[in-house]
Amino acid sequence: MRKYISVTLIVGFVVGIVFLSIFNWTLTLTNTEDFCISCHAMKDNSYAEFKESMHHKNKSGVRATCSDCHVPKTFFAKIKRKIAASTEVYHTLIGTIDTKEKYETHRLKMALNVWQTMTENDSKACRNCHKADNMDFEEQNKSAIKKHIKAKKEGITCIKCHKGLVHEMPEDGEEEAEKRGL
Ligand code: HEC
Ligand code: HEC
Ligand code: HEC
Ligand code: HEC
Protein backbone atom coordinates (compact mmCIF):
# COMPACT_ATOMS: atom_id res chain seq x y z
CA MET A 1 0.00 0.00 0.00
CA ARG A 2 2.79 2.41 0.96
CA LYS A 3 4.60 1.53 -2.22
CA TYR A 4 1.46 2.30 -4.20
CA ILE A 5 1.12 5.72 -2.56
CA SER A 6 4.72 6.70 -3.20
CA VAL A 7 4.51 5.62 -6.85
CA THR A 8 1.36 7.73 -7.21
CA LEU A 9 3.12 10.66 -5.62
CA ILE A 10 6.11 10.36 -7.91
CA VAL A 11 3.94 10.04 -11.00
CA GLY A 12 1.86 13.01 -9.86
CA PHE A 13 5.02 15.01 -9.28
CA VAL A 14 6.44 14.21 -12.71
CA VAL A 15 3.16 14.93 -14.48
CA GLY A 16 2.93 18.21 -12.56
CA ILE A 17 6.44 19.25 -13.61
CA VAL A 18 5.77 18.36 -17.24
CA PHE A 19 2.49 20.25 -17.22
CA LEU A 20 4.02 23.33 -15.59
CA SER A 21 6.96 23.27 -17.98
CA ILE A 22 4.71 23.19 -21.03
CA PHE A 23 2.55 25.92 -19.53
CA ASN A 24 5.57 28.09 -18.76
CA TRP A 25 7.09 27.41 -22.16
CA THR A 26 3.83 28.51 -23.82
CA LEU A 27 3.78 31.70 -21.77
CA THR A 28 7.40 32.45 -22.67
CA LEU A 29 6.89 31.70 -26.35
CA THR A 30 3.85 33.97 -26.55
CA ASN A 31 5.92 36.80 -25.09
CA THR A 32 8.55 36.95 -27.80
CA GLU A 33 8.83 39.73 -30.33
CA ASP A 34 8.60 37.12 -33.12
CA PHE A 35 5.24 35.96 -31.78
CA CYS A 36 3.80 39.49 -31.61
CA ILE A 37 5.03 40.48 -35.03
CA SER A 38 3.73 37.28 -36.57
CA CYS A 39 0.50 39.30 -36.57
CA HIS A 40 1.60 42.87 -36.04
CA ALA A 41 4.32 43.21 -38.67
CA MET A 42 2.40 42.43 -41.79
CA LYS A 43 -0.22 45.02 -42.45
CA ASP A 44 -0.31 47.25 -39.45
CA ASN A 45 2.10 49.92 -38.39
CA SER A 46 3.05 49.00 -34.84
CA TYR A 47 6.23 47.09 -35.70
CA ALA A 48 7.49 49.57 -38.31
CA GLU A 49 7.08 52.41 -35.81
CA PHE A 50 8.71 50.44 -33.02
CA LYS A 51 11.75 49.80 -35.25
CA GLU A 52 12.26 53.53 -35.60
CA SER A 53 12.06 54.15 -31.88
CA MET A 54 14.79 54.43 -29.28
CA HIS A 55 13.34 51.44 -27.48
CA HIS A 56 14.31 49.23 -30.41
CA LYS A 57 17.86 50.46 -30.85
CA ASN A 58 19.92 52.82 -28.73
CA LYS A 59 23.44 53.52 -27.70
CA SER A 60 23.17 51.23 -24.66
CA GLY A 61 21.95 48.20 -26.63
CA VAL A 62 19.07 47.50 -24.25
CA ARG A 63 15.84 46.72 -26.06
CA ALA A 64 12.38 47.07 -24.64
CA THR A 65 10.32 44.75 -26.76
CA CYS A 66 6.55 44.50 -27.25
CA SER A 67 5.85 42.35 -24.21
CA ASP A 68 8.03 44.51 -21.91
CA CYS A 69 5.48 47.29 -22.36
CA HIS A 70 2.31 45.33 -23.09
CA VAL A 71 2.44 42.18 -20.94
CA PRO A 72 2.72 42.40 -17.15
CA LYS A 73 5.53 40.50 -15.44
CA THR A 74 3.66 39.24 -12.39
CA PHE A 75 1.92 35.88 -12.74
CA PHE A 76 -1.76 36.71 -12.28
CA ALA A 77 -1.61 39.99 -14.18
CA LYS A 78 0.16 38.16 -16.99
CA ILE A 79 -2.49 35.43 -17.16
CA LYS A 80 -5.21 38.08 -17.16
CA ARG A 81 -3.55 39.86 -20.09
CA LYS A 82 -3.14 36.58 -21.99
CA ILE A 83 -6.82 35.79 -21.57
CA ALA A 84 -7.82 39.28 -22.68
CA ALA A 85 -5.45 38.92 -25.65
CA SER A 86 -7.33 35.88 -26.89
CA THR A 87 -9.83 38.33 -28.41
CA GLU A 88 -6.94 39.40 -30.65
CA VAL A 89 -7.18 36.00 -32.33
CA TYR A 90 -10.87 36.60 -33.01
CA HIS A 91 -10.09 40.07 -34.42
CA THR A 92 -7.41 38.53 -36.63
CA LEU A 93 -9.97 36.12 -38.03
CA ILE A 94 -12.47 38.87 -38.81
CA GLY A 95 -9.66 41.13 -40.07
CA THR A 96 -10.16 44.12 -37.76
CA ILE A 97 -6.73 45.61 -38.51
CA ASP A 98 -5.63 43.69 -41.58
CA THR A 99 -4.92 46.72 -43.75
CA LYS A 100 -3.00 49.89 -42.94
CA GLU A 101 -6.21 51.88 -43.41
CA LYS A 102 -8.17 49.72 -40.99
CA TYR A 103 -5.30 49.92 -38.51
CA GLU A 104 -5.41 53.71 -38.62
CA THR A 105 -9.18 53.74 -38.13
CA HIS A 106 -8.83 51.41 -35.14
CA ARG A 107 -5.70 53.03 -33.70
CA LEU A 108 -7.28 55.60 -31.41
CA LYS A 109 -9.54 53.03 -29.76
CA MET A 110 -6.58 50.70 -29.09
CA ALA A 111 -4.33 53.49 -27.88
CA LEU A 112 -6.99 54.64 -25.41
CA ASN A 113 -7.16 51.07 -24.04
CA VAL A 114 -3.39 51.00 -23.55
CA TRP A 115 -3.34 54.42 -21.90
CA GLN A 116 -6.20 53.36 -19.63
CA THR A 117 -4.30 50.24 -18.52
CA MET A 118 -1.06 52.13 -17.96
CA THR A 119 -2.82 54.88 -16.03
CA GLU A 120 -4.56 52.34 -13.83
CA ASN A 121 -1.31 50.53 -12.97
CA ASP A 122 0.76 53.71 -12.59
CA SER A 123 2.86 52.91 -15.70
CA LYS A 124 4.15 49.73 -14.10
CA ALA A 125 5.76 48.50 -17.33
CA CYS A 126 7.83 51.67 -17.67
CA ARG A 127 8.89 51.45 -14.05
CA ASN A 128 10.13 47.88 -14.50
CA CYS A 129 13.07 49.50 -16.31
CA HIS A 130 13.03 53.22 -15.48
CA LYS A 131 13.19 53.93 -11.76
CA ALA A 132 12.25 57.49 -10.97
CA ASP A 133 14.49 57.33 -7.91
CA ASN A 134 17.51 56.30 -9.96
CA MET A 135 17.23 59.07 -12.53
CA ASP A 136 20.23 61.32 -12.62
CA PHE A 137 18.43 64.59 -13.21
CA GLU A 138 21.70 66.38 -13.90
CA GLU A 139 22.13 64.25 -17.00
CA GLN A 140 18.68 65.16 -18.31
CA ASN A 141 17.71 68.21 -20.30
CA LYS A 142 16.06 71.18 -18.61
CA SER A 143 12.48 70.46 -19.63
CA ALA A 144 12.77 66.84 -18.45
CA ILE A 145 14.23 67.81 -15.05
CA LYS A 146 11.45 70.28 -14.34
CA LYS A 147 8.72 67.87 -15.38
CA HIS A 148 10.18 64.91 -13.50
CA ILE A 149 10.49 66.85 -10.27
CA LYS A 150 6.89 67.99 -10.68
CA ALA A 151 5.82 64.41 -11.54
CA LYS A 152 7.39 63.02 -8.39
CA LYS A 153 5.93 65.73 -6.18
CA GLU A 154 2.41 65.48 -7.61
CA GLY A 155 2.39 61.75 -8.38
CA ILE A 156 1.82 62.20 -12.12
CA THR A 157 2.30 58.91 -13.95
CA CYS A 158 4.75 58.42 -16.86
CA ILE A 159 2.13 57.77 -19.55
CA LYS A 160 0.39 61.05 -18.80
CA CYS A 161 3.33 62.83 -20.47
CA HIS A 162 4.91 60.14 -22.65
CA LYS A 163 2.18 59.22 -25.11
CA GLY A 164 3.22 58.42 -28.66
CA LEU A 165 6.67 57.37 -27.49
CA VAL A 166 7.08 54.26 -29.61
CA HIS A 167 4.10 54.46 -31.93
CA GLU A 168 2.71 57.48 -33.68
CA MET A 169 0.24 59.58 -31.80
CA PRO A 170 -3.28 58.74 -33.08
CA GLU A 171 -5.26 61.51 -34.68
CA ASP A 172 -7.16 63.37 -31.94
CA GLY A 173 -5.23 61.31 -29.37
CA GLU A 174 -4.42 64.22 -27.09
CA GLU A 175 -8.02 65.51 -27.04
CA GLU A 176 -9.64 62.13 -26.47
CA ALA A 177 -7.17 61.28 -23.70
CA GLU A 178 -7.78 64.64 -22.04
CA LYS A 179 -11.54 64.03 -22.10
CA ARG A 180 -11.05 60.75 -20.22
CA GLY A 181 -8.55 62.20 -17.80
CA LEU A 182 -5.74 59.98 -19.15
C1 HEC B 1 -3.00 36.22 -33.68
C2 HEC B 1 -2.51 37.53 -34.08
C3 HEC B 1 -1.97 38.43 -32.98
C4 HEC B 1 -0.89 38.18 -32.16
C5 HEC B 1 0.01 36.94 -32.16
C6 HEC B 1 -0.72 39.36 -31.34
N1 HEC B 1 -1.69 40.29 -31.64
FE1 HEC B 1 -1.94 42.09 -30.73
N2 HEC B 1 -3.66 42.41 -31.81
C7 HEC B 1 -4.11 41.61 -32.83
C8 HEC B 1 -5.33 42.19 -33.37
C9 HEC B 1 -6.15 41.63 -34.55
C10 HEC B 1 -5.59 43.37 -32.62
C11 HEC B 1 -6.75 44.36 -32.81
C12 HEC B 1 -8.02 43.87 -32.23
C13 HEC B 1 -8.30 44.31 -30.87
O1 HEC B 1 -8.55 45.50 -30.67
O2 HEC B 1 -8.28 43.46 -29.95
C14 HEC B 1 -4.52 43.48 -31.64
C15 HEC B 1 -4.42 44.48 -30.69
C16 HEC B 1 -3.30 44.69 -29.88
C17 HEC B 1 -3.15 45.80 -28.96
C18 HEC B 1 -4.20 46.85 -28.65
C19 HEC B 1 -4.97 46.24 -27.50
C20 HEC B 1 -6.20 46.95 -27.02
O3 HEC B 1 -6.48 46.79 -25.80
O4 HEC B 1 -6.94 47.60 -27.79
C21 HEC B 1 -1.92 45.67 -28.38
C22 HEC B 1 -1.29 46.58 -27.35
C23 HEC B 1 -1.32 44.46 -28.92
N3 HEC B 1 -2.19 43.89 -29.83
C24 HEC B 1 -0.08 43.99 -28.56
C25 HEC B 1 0.36 42.69 -28.86
C26 HEC B 1 1.56 42.10 -28.28
C27 HEC B 1 2.48 42.78 -27.29
C28 HEC B 1 1.66 40.83 -28.78
C29 HEC B 1 2.71 39.78 -28.41
C30 HEC B 1 2.81 39.46 -26.99
C31 HEC B 1 0.53 40.64 -29.68
N4 HEC B 1 -0.23 41.78 -29.70
C32 HEC B 1 0.28 39.47 -30.40
C33 HEC B 1 -3.53 40.43 -33.26
C34 HEC B 1 -2.47 39.77 -32.65
C1 HEC C 1 12.88 46.88 -21.05
C2 HEC C 1 13.18 48.18 -20.46
C3 HEC C 1 12.36 49.42 -20.79
C4 HEC C 1 10.99 49.57 -20.68
C5 HEC C 1 9.95 48.55 -20.28
C6 HEC C 1 10.73 50.96 -21.02
N1 HEC C 1 11.89 51.60 -21.34
FE1 HEC C 1 12.11 53.55 -21.84
N2 HEC C 1 14.03 53.25 -22.37
C7 HEC C 1 14.73 52.07 -22.13
C8 HEC C 1 16.05 52.19 -22.72
C9 HEC C 1 17.15 51.13 -22.67
C10 HEC C 1 16.14 53.48 -23.32
C11 HEC C 1 17.30 54.12 -24.05
C12 HEC C 1 18.26 54.68 -23.06
C13 HEC C 1 19.44 55.32 -23.74
O1 HEC C 1 20.19 54.63 -24.40
O2 HEC C 1 19.57 56.51 -23.55
C14 HEC C 1 14.85 54.13 -23.06
C15 HEC C 1 14.54 55.43 -23.43
C16 HEC C 1 13.37 56.10 -23.04
C17 HEC C 1 13.10 57.51 -23.27
C18 HEC C 1 14.01 58.50 -24.00
C19 HEC C 1 14.08 58.20 -25.46
C20 HEC C 1 12.84 58.50 -26.23
O3 HEC C 1 12.41 57.62 -27.01
O4 HEC C 1 12.29 59.59 -26.10
C21 HEC C 1 11.87 57.77 -22.72
C22 HEC C 1 11.15 59.09 -22.70
C23 HEC C 1 11.39 56.52 -22.15
N3 HEC C 1 12.32 55.53 -22.37
C24 HEC C 1 10.18 56.37 -21.49
C25 HEC C 1 9.57 55.13 -21.27
C26 HEC C 1 8.17 54.94 -20.92
C27 HEC C 1 7.17 56.06 -20.73
C28 HEC C 1 7.96 53.59 -20.81
C29 HEC C 1 6.65 52.87 -20.53
C30 HEC C 1 5.60 53.06 -21.53
C31 HEC C 1 9.24 52.92 -21.06
N4 HEC C 1 10.17 53.88 -21.34
C32 HEC C 1 9.47 51.55 -21.00
C33 HEC C 1 14.25 50.95 -21.47
C34 HEC C 1 12.92 50.69 -21.22
C1 HEC D 1 4.84 65.86 -16.12
C2 HEC D 1 5.28 65.22 -17.35
C3 HEC D 1 6.23 64.04 -17.25
C4 HEC D 1 6.06 62.90 -16.48
C5 HEC D 1 4.93 62.55 -15.53
C6 HEC D 1 7.19 62.03 -16.80
N1 HEC D 1 7.99 62.62 -17.74
FE1 HEC D 1 9.67 61.82 -18.56
N2 HEC D 1 10.00 63.53 -19.64
C7 HEC D 1 9.13 64.61 -19.67
C8 HEC D 1 9.67 65.63 -20.58
C9 HEC D 1 9.01 66.96 -20.94
C10 HEC D 1 10.90 65.12 -21.07
C11 HEC D 1 11.83 65.76 -22.07
C12 HEC D 1 11.36 65.39 -23.42
C13 HEC D 1 12.35 65.59 -24.50
O1 HEC D 1 13.48 66.03 -24.23
O2 HEC D 1 11.98 65.29 -25.63
C14 HEC D 1 11.07 63.79 -20.47
C15 HEC D 1 12.14 62.94 -20.71
C16 HEC D 1 12.24 61.64 -20.25
C17 HEC D 1 13.32 60.74 -20.53
C18 HEC D 1 14.54 61.05 -21.36
C19 HEC D 1 15.54 61.79 -20.51
C20 HEC D 1 16.79 62.21 -21.28
O3 HEC D 1 17.28 63.31 -20.99
O4 HEC D 1 17.23 61.45 -22.14
C21 HEC D 1 13.03 59.55 -19.92
C22 HEC D 1 13.86 58.29 -19.93
C23 HEC D 1 11.78 59.72 -19.23
N3 HEC D 1 11.31 60.99 -19.45
C24 HEC D 1 11.13 58.72 -18.53
C25 HEC D 1 10.02 58.94 -17.70
C26 HEC D 1 9.48 57.93 -16.84
C27 HEC D 1 9.96 56.51 -16.74
C28 HEC D 1 8.42 58.49 -16.16
C29 HEC D 1 7.59 57.88 -15.07
C30 HEC D 1 8.35 57.37 -13.91
C31 HEC D 1 8.33 59.88 -16.63
N4 HEC D 1 9.32 60.09 -17.56
C32 HEC D 1 7.37 60.79 -16.22
C33 HEC D 1 7.95 64.74 -18.98
C34 HEC D 1 7.45 63.84 -18.04
C1 HEC E 1 8.42 51.29 -24.67
C2 HEC E 1 7.08 50.73 -24.61
C3 HEC E 1 6.45 50.06 -25.83
C4 HEC E 1 7.00 49.12 -26.67
C5 HEC E 1 8.41 48.55 -26.66
C6 HEC E 1 5.95 48.76 -27.60
N1 HEC E 1 4.80 49.47 -27.33
FE1 HEC E 1 3.01 49.27 -28.26
N2 HEC E 1 2.27 50.85 -27.18
C7 HEC E 1 2.94 51.51 -26.18
C8 HEC E 1 2.11 52.62 -25.72
C9 HEC E 1 2.47 53.60 -24.63
C10 HEC E 1 0.93 52.60 -26.50
C11 HEC E 1 -0.27 53.58 -26.42
C12 HEC E 1 -0.27 54.51 -27.60
C13 HEC E 1 0.90 55.47 -27.62
O1 HEC E 1 1.14 56.16 -26.63
O2 HEC E 1 1.56 55.54 -28.67
C14 HEC E 1 1.06 51.47 -27.40
C15 HEC E 1 0.09 51.12 -28.35
C16 HEC E 1 0.13 49.96 -29.13
C17 HEC E 1 -0.92 49.50 -30.01
C18 HEC E 1 -2.25 50.21 -30.25
C19 HEC E 1 -2.19 51.07 -31.48
C20 HEC E 1 -1.39 52.33 -31.37
O3 HEC E 1 -0.59 52.61 -32.28
O4 HEC E 1 -1.56 53.07 -30.40
C21 HEC E 1 -0.48 48.32 -30.57
C22 HEC E 1 -1.22 47.46 -31.58
C23 HEC E 1 0.85 48.05 -30.07
N3 HEC E 1 1.20 49.06 -29.18
C24 HEC E 1 1.63 46.96 -30.41
C25 HEC E 1 2.99 46.87 -30.13
C26 HEC E 1 3.88 45.86 -30.72
C27 HEC E 1 3.44 44.78 -31.66
C28 HEC E 1 5.14 46.12 -30.25
C29 HEC E 1 6.44 45.41 -30.63
C30 HEC E 1 6.75 45.34 -32.07
C31 HEC E 1 5.04 47.26 -29.34
N4 HEC E 1 3.73 47.68 -29.31
C32 HEC E 1 6.09 47.80 -28.61
C33 HEC E 1 4.17 51.18 -25.68
C34 HEC E 1 5.07 50.28 -26.26
Short mmCIF file of all heavy atoms in Angstrom, two decimals, residues 30-32 35-36 38-40 66-67 70-71 81-82 87-89 91-92 96-97 106 110 113-114, ligand 1:
data_model
loop_
_atom_site.label_atom_id
_atom_site.label_comp_id
_atom_site.label_asym_id
_atom_site.label_seq_id
_atom_site.Cartn_x
_atom_site.Cartn_y
_atom_site.Cartn_z
N THR A 30 4.82 32.96 -26.12
CA THR A 30 3.85 33.97 -26.55
C THR A 30 4.24 35.35 -26.04
O THR A 30 3.46 36.29 -26.12
CB THR A 30 2.42 33.63 -26.08
OG1 THR A 30 2.43 33.48 -24.65
CG2 THR A 30 1.91 32.37 -26.73
N ASN A 31 5.44 35.49 -25.51
CA ASN A 31 5.92 36.80 -25.09
C ASN A 31 7.03 37.33 -26.00
O ASN A 31 7.55 38.40 -25.79
CB ASN A 31 6.47 36.72 -23.65
CG ASN A 31 5.59 37.47 -22.67
OD1 ASN A 31 4.53 37.95 -23.04
ND2 ASN A 31 6.04 37.57 -21.45
N THR A 32 7.42 36.52 -26.97
CA THR A 32 8.55 36.95 -27.80
C THR A 32 8.11 37.96 -28.85
O THR A 32 6.94 38.00 -29.26
CB THR A 32 9.19 35.76 -28.53
OG1 THR A 32 8.19 35.16 -29.37
CG2 THR A 32 9.72 34.72 -27.55
N PHE A 35 6.64 36.33 -31.90
CA PHE A 35 5.24 35.96 -31.78
C PHE A 35 4.35 37.17 -32.07
O PHE A 35 3.43 37.10 -32.88
CB PHE A 35 4.95 35.38 -30.40
CG PHE A 35 3.51 35.08 -30.18
CD1 PHE A 35 2.91 33.99 -30.80
CD2 PHE A 35 2.73 35.89 -29.36
CE1 PHE A 35 1.57 33.71 -30.62
CE2 PHE A 35 1.38 35.61 -29.18
CZ PHE A 35 0.80 34.53 -29.80
N CYS A 36 4.64 38.29 -31.43
CA CYS A 36 3.80 39.49 -31.61
C CYS A 36 3.79 39.94 -33.06
O CYS A 36 2.75 40.23 -33.62
CB CYS A 36 4.27 40.64 -30.73
SG CYS A 36 4.41 40.23 -28.98
N SER A 38 4.32 38.21 -35.62
CA SER A 38 3.73 37.28 -36.57
C SER A 38 2.37 37.82 -37.01
O SER A 38 1.89 37.52 -38.09
CB SER A 38 3.60 35.88 -35.96
OG SER A 38 2.66 35.89 -34.90
N CYS A 39 1.74 38.62 -36.16
CA CYS A 39 0.50 39.30 -36.57
C CYS A 39 0.74 40.78 -36.83
O CYS A 39 0.21 41.34 -37.79
CB CYS A 39 -0.57 39.18 -35.49
SG CYS A 39 -1.25 37.54 -35.32
N HIS A 40 1.54 41.42 -35.99
CA HIS A 40 1.60 42.87 -36.04
C HIS A 40 2.57 43.46 -37.06
O HIS A 40 2.65 44.67 -37.21
CB HIS A 40 1.89 43.44 -34.65
CG HIS A 40 0.70 43.39 -33.74
ND1 HIS A 40 -0.36 44.27 -33.88
CD2 HIS A 40 0.37 42.58 -32.72
CE1 HIS A 40 -1.27 44.00 -32.96
NE2 HIS A 40 -0.86 42.97 -32.23
N CYS A 66 8.00 44.38 -27.37
CA CYS A 66 6.55 44.50 -27.25
C CYS A 66 6.04 44.08 -25.87
O CYS A 66 5.33 44.82 -25.20
CB CYS A 66 5.85 43.62 -28.28
SG CYS A 66 6.57 43.61 -29.93
N SER A 67 6.42 42.87 -25.45
CA SER A 67 5.85 42.35 -24.21
C SER A 67 6.35 43.12 -22.98
O SER A 67 5.67 43.16 -21.96
CB SER A 67 6.15 40.86 -24.06
OG SER A 67 7.53 40.64 -24.20
N HIS A 70 3.73 45.70 -22.97
CA HIS A 70 2.31 45.33 -23.09
C HIS A 70 1.88 44.11 -22.29
O HIS A 70 0.70 43.81 -22.23
CB HIS A 70 1.96 45.10 -24.57
CG HIS A 70 1.97 46.37 -25.37
ND1 HIS A 70 1.09 47.39 -25.12
CD2 HIS A 70 2.76 46.79 -26.39
CE1 HIS A 70 1.33 48.39 -25.98
NE2 HIS A 70 2.34 48.05 -26.75
N VAL A 71 2.82 43.36 -21.73
CA VAL A 71 2.44 42.18 -20.94
C VAL A 71 3.04 42.30 -19.54
O VAL A 71 4.25 42.44 -19.40
CB VAL A 71 2.94 40.87 -21.61
CG1 VAL A 71 2.42 39.65 -20.84
CG2 VAL A 71 2.52 40.79 -23.07
N ARG A 81 -3.83 39.22 -18.79
CA ARG A 81 -3.55 39.86 -20.09
C ARG A 81 -3.63 38.85 -21.22
O ARG A 81 -4.14 39.12 -22.30
CB ARG A 81 -2.17 40.54 -20.06
CG ARG A 81 -1.68 41.09 -21.40
CD ARG A 81 -2.51 42.27 -21.91
NE ARG A 81 -1.99 42.82 -23.17
CZ ARG A 81 -2.48 42.56 -24.38
NH1 ARG A 81 -3.52 41.77 -24.52
NH2 ARG A 81 -1.94 43.10 -25.46
N LYS A 82 -3.12 37.62 -20.95
CA LYS A 82 -3.14 36.58 -21.99
C LYS A 82 -4.58 36.20 -22.33
O LYS A 82 -4.90 35.96 -23.49
CB LYS A 82 -2.38 35.32 -21.52
CG LYS A 82 -0.89 35.52 -21.32
CD LYS A 82 -0.13 35.60 -22.63
CE LYS A 82 1.35 35.88 -22.39
NZ LYS A 82 2.04 36.33 -23.58
N THR A 87 -8.92 37.67 -27.47
CA THR A 87 -9.83 38.33 -28.41
C THR A 87 -9.07 38.82 -29.65
O THR A 87 -9.65 39.03 -30.69
CB THR A 87 -10.54 39.55 -27.77
OG1 THR A 87 -9.54 40.51 -27.43
CG2 THR A 87 -11.31 39.18 -26.54
N GLU A 88 -7.74 38.98 -29.50
CA GLU A 88 -6.94 39.40 -30.65
C GLU A 88 -6.96 38.35 -31.75
O GLU A 88 -6.87 38.66 -32.94
CB GLU A 88 -5.50 39.75 -30.22
CG GLU A 88 -5.46 40.98 -29.33
CD GLU A 88 -4.05 41.39 -28.87
OE1 GLU A 88 -3.07 41.06 -29.54
OE2 GLU A 88 -3.95 42.07 -27.83
N VAL A 89 -7.10 37.07 -31.34
CA VAL A 89 -7.18 36.00 -32.33
C VAL A 89 -8.50 36.15 -33.11
O VAL A 89 -8.51 36.08 -34.34
CB VAL A 89 -7.11 34.61 -31.64
CG1 VAL A 89 -7.29 33.50 -32.67
CG2 VAL A 89 -5.79 34.47 -30.90
N HIS A 91 -10.18 38.90 -33.55
CA HIS A 91 -10.09 40.07 -34.42
C HIS A 91 -9.19 39.83 -35.63
O HIS A 91 -9.34 40.47 -36.66
CB HIS A 91 -9.64 41.29 -33.63
CG HIS A 91 -10.73 41.90 -32.80
ND1 HIS A 91 -11.74 42.66 -33.37
CD2 HIS A 91 -11.02 41.84 -31.49
CE1 HIS A 91 -12.58 43.06 -32.43
NE2 HIS A 91 -12.17 42.56 -31.26
N THR A 92 -8.24 38.89 -35.48
CA THR A 92 -7.41 38.53 -36.63
C THR A 92 -8.27 37.80 -37.65
O THR A 92 -8.20 38.07 -38.85
CB THR A 92 -6.24 37.62 -36.19
OG1 THR A 92 -5.50 38.30 -35.19
CG2 THR A 92 -5.33 37.29 -37.36
N THR A 96 -9.93 42.78 -38.29
CA THR A 96 -10.16 44.12 -37.76
C THR A 96 -9.06 45.13 -38.15
O THR A 96 -9.35 46.29 -38.40
CB THR A 96 -10.28 44.07 -36.21
OG1 THR A 96 -11.30 43.13 -35.88
CG2 THR A 96 -10.62 45.43 -35.62
N ILE A 97 -7.81 44.67 -38.18
CA ILE A 97 -6.73 45.61 -38.51
C ILE A 97 -5.84 45.05 -39.63
O ILE A 97 -4.63 45.22 -39.62
CB ILE A 97 -5.86 45.94 -37.27
CG1 ILE A 97 -5.35 44.67 -36.57
CG2 ILE A 97 -6.63 46.80 -36.28
CD1 ILE A 97 -4.31 44.93 -35.47
N HIS A 106 -8.69 52.09 -36.44
CA HIS A 106 -8.83 51.41 -35.14
C HIS A 106 -7.83 51.92 -34.11
O HIS A 106 -7.95 51.63 -32.92
CB HIS A 106 -8.63 49.90 -35.37
CG HIS A 106 -9.23 49.01 -34.33
ND1 HIS A 106 -10.55 49.04 -33.98
CD2 HIS A 106 -8.69 48.04 -33.55
CE1 HIS A 106 -10.79 48.13 -33.05
NE2 HIS A 106 -9.66 47.52 -32.75
N MET A 110 -7.58 51.57 -29.73
CA MET A 110 -6.58 50.70 -29.09
C MET A 110 -5.66 51.50 -28.18
O MET A 110 -5.35 51.09 -27.06
CB MET A 110 -5.75 49.98 -30.16
CG MET A 110 -6.54 48.99 -30.99
SD MET A 110 -5.50 47.97 -32.07
CE MET A 110 -4.98 49.16 -33.30
N ASN A 113 -7.19 52.24 -24.94
CA ASN A 113 -7.16 51.07 -24.04
C ASN A 113 -5.80 50.95 -23.35
O ASN A 113 -5.73 50.69 -22.15
CB ASN A 113 -7.41 49.78 -24.83
CG ASN A 113 -8.85 49.65 -25.29
OD1 ASN A 113 -9.74 50.29 -24.72
ND2 ASN A 113 -9.08 48.86 -26.31
N VAL A 114 -4.74 51.14 -24.13
CA VAL A 114 -3.39 51.00 -23.55
C VAL A 114 -3.15 52.11 -22.52
O VAL A 114 -2.64 51.85 -21.42
CB VAL A 114 -2.31 51.02 -24.66
CG1 VAL A 114 -0.92 50.97 -24.05
CG2 VAL A 114 -2.50 49.87 -25.64
C1 HEC B 1 -3.00 36.22 -33.68
C2 HEC B 1 -2.51 37.53 -34.08
C3 HEC B 1 -1.97 38.43 -32.98
C4 HEC B 1 -0.89 38.18 -32.16
C5 HEC B 1 0.01 36.94 -32.16
C6 HEC B 1 -0.72 39.36 -31.34
N1 HEC B 1 -1.69 40.29 -31.64
FE1 HEC B 1 -1.94 42.09 -30.73
N2 HEC B 1 -3.66 42.41 -31.81
C7 HEC B 1 -4.11 41.61 -32.83
C8 HEC B 1 -5.33 42.19 -33.37
C9 HEC B 1 -6.15 41.63 -34.55
C10 HEC B 1 -5.59 43.37 -32.62
C11 HEC B 1 -6.75 44.36 -32.81
C12 HEC B 1 -8.02 43.87 -32.23
C13 HEC B 1 -8.30 44.31 -30.87
O1 HEC B 1 -8.55 45.50 -30.67
O2 HEC B 1 -8.28 43.46 -29.95
C14 HEC B 1 -4.52 43.48 -31.64
C15 HEC B 1 -4.42 44.48 -30.69
C16 HEC B 1 -3.30 44.69 -29.88
C17 HEC B 1 -3.15 45.80 -28.96
C18 HEC B 1 -4.20 46.85 -28.65
C19 HEC B 1 -4.97 46.24 -27.50
C20 HEC B 1 -6.20 46.95 -27.02
O3 HEC B 1 -6.48 46.79 -25.80
O4 HEC B 1 -6.94 47.60 -27.79
C21 HEC B 1 -1.92 45.67 -28.38
C22 HEC B 1 -1.29 46.58 -27.35
C23 HEC B 1 -1.32 44.46 -28.92
N3 HEC B 1 -2.19 43.89 -29.83
C24 HEC B 1 -0.08 43.99 -28.56
C25 HEC B 1 0.36 42.69 -28.86
C26 HEC B 1 1.56 42.10 -28.28
C27 HEC B 1 2.48 42.78 -27.29
C28 HEC B 1 1.66 40.83 -28.78
C29 HEC B 1 2.71 39.78 -28.41
C30 HEC B 1 2.81 39.46 -26.99
C31 HEC B 1 0.53 40.64 -29.68
N4 HEC B 1 -0.23 41.78 -29.70
C32 HEC B 1 0.28 39.47 -30.40
C33 HEC B 1 -3.53 40.43 -33.26
C34 HEC B 1 -2.47 39.77 -32.65
#
